[in-house]
Amino acid sequence: MDHLDQLEAQSVFILREAYRKLKPLAMLWSLGKDSNVMVWLAKKAFLGRVPFPVMHVDTGKKFPEMYKFRDEYAKKWDLNLLLGECPPVEDMDPSLPPAARSAARKTAGLAAMIEKHKLQGVIAGIRRDEQGTRAKERVFSPRGASHKWDIRNQPPEFWDQYATPHEEGMHIRVHPLLAWREIDIWRYIEREGIPLVDLYFAKNGKRYRSLGDSDITFPVESNASTLAEVIEELETTKTSERAGRAMDHESEDAFERLRVAGYL
C-alpha cells in the first residue's frame, strides 16, 4: 500500500466505525474539495452508496458555481441531501470581528440541524494541517449539549480506538480526513478522478485554494489550471491554504472562539 492507500483505508475504517456506533448520523457537505473526497470515501466504504444523509448548512452566500455543483452531484451521487438555513448576521455575537461574525451563522445553522434531526454523529471534513485550532482535534470529538467543544477535556485515542460517550443532548464530530494534508487531498482527487467546482483552477492568474462564502473568501495568485499544475504548485508554495479566507486575517483568537462554540 502506498501513502494514499493507507490514508484511504484509515478514513474508510473511521467512516464504518462512525456508522456502526452513532445513529442518527449525517455528513456535512460544504461542496469543497475535502467534503467531496469525504463523499467519495463514503461511497467506497459502503459499496457505492452513502447510507446516511449529507447536510449542506446554507448561508445563501456561496458562489453560483457551488450551488450548480450541489444540485448536479446530489443527483448523480444519489445523495439524501438535507438543506439547512442560517440565521441573519445581526443575531450573531457582536464582539466577533466582521468575517468571523458572518461565519458564525454556520455555527448556529448547524446547531439547528443537529437538534432538528436529533443527530448523535456529524461527519466533518477538517484536517489538522489546515489551521492551528483544528490541529488540536480528535478523530471522534465530543460536543456538549450546547454544541460546545471542550478543548481541554478530550478523550485519548490509542490504537485506533475511538470513544463515543453518550450523554443527554451531546453529539460526536467525526473527522475521517484529520490525518490528510492538502497535497494528499489533491493527489487523491487526481488518482480517483473526483469532480470539483472549477473555481479551484486558475483563471486570469488567480484561483481559490479554499471555498466559502463569496463575500469573505478571495482568490490567490496562481497559474495552476489543471490538477497536475495545482499539485506542482503545492509542492513548493509557502502561501497558507486559508490565505484567501478573510476570517483568518482577523483577531488571533477569532477562529478558536468559533470552533469552541461549535463551528464546522
Side-chain angles (χ1 to χ4, degrees), residues 28-162:
L28 287 168
W29 189 32
S30 70
L31 315 174
K33 62 186 187 303
D34 301 286
S35 61
N36 289 340
V37 166
M38 274 204 313
V39 172
W40 194 267
L41 288 165
K43 286 166 68 68
K44 283 200 168 190
F46 301 103
L47 305 177
R49 69 180 188 91
V50 180
F52 36 73
V54 299
M55 302 193 304
H56 181 210
V57 184
D58 188 9
T59 61
K61 294 186 175 183
K62 300 301 182 187
F63 295 93
E65 294 90 339
M66 297 175 73
Y67 289 116
K68 181 181 177 182
F69 184 95
R70 181 191 72 186
D71 296 342
E72 179 181 355
Y73 280 92
K75 292 179 181 177
K76 284 186 176 180
W77 288 339
D78 193 24
L79 302 177
N80 177 9
L81 177 61
L82 305 179
L83 299 178
E85 297 181 350
C86 299
V89 70
E90 292 77 19
D91 291 354
M92 300 300 101
D93 182 355
S95 71
L96 286 168
R101 190 180 184 196
S102 180
R105 296 175 61 224
K106 288 190 288 186
T107 305
L110 175 58
M113 291 193 77
I114 290 169
E115 291 169 8
K116 176 180 178 180
H117 299 286
K118 297 180 172 55
L119 297 175
Q120 287 194 0
V122 176
I123 304 168
I126 69 165
R127 307 188 326 269
R128 285 195 180 104
D129 74 326
E130 281 181 281
Q131 203 272 345
T133 300
R134 286 175 169 166
K136 303 172 185 178
E137 275 282 13
R138 295 289 190 266
V139 176
F140 277 54
S141 180
R143 296 297 195 271
S146 61
H147 306 282
K148 290 190 175 182
W149 175 38
D150 187 349
I151 196 170
R152 294 176 177 82
N153 183 26
Q154 301 182 79
E157 293 181 333
F158 299 124
W159 307 292
D160 292 332
Q161 300 298 306
Y162 305 119

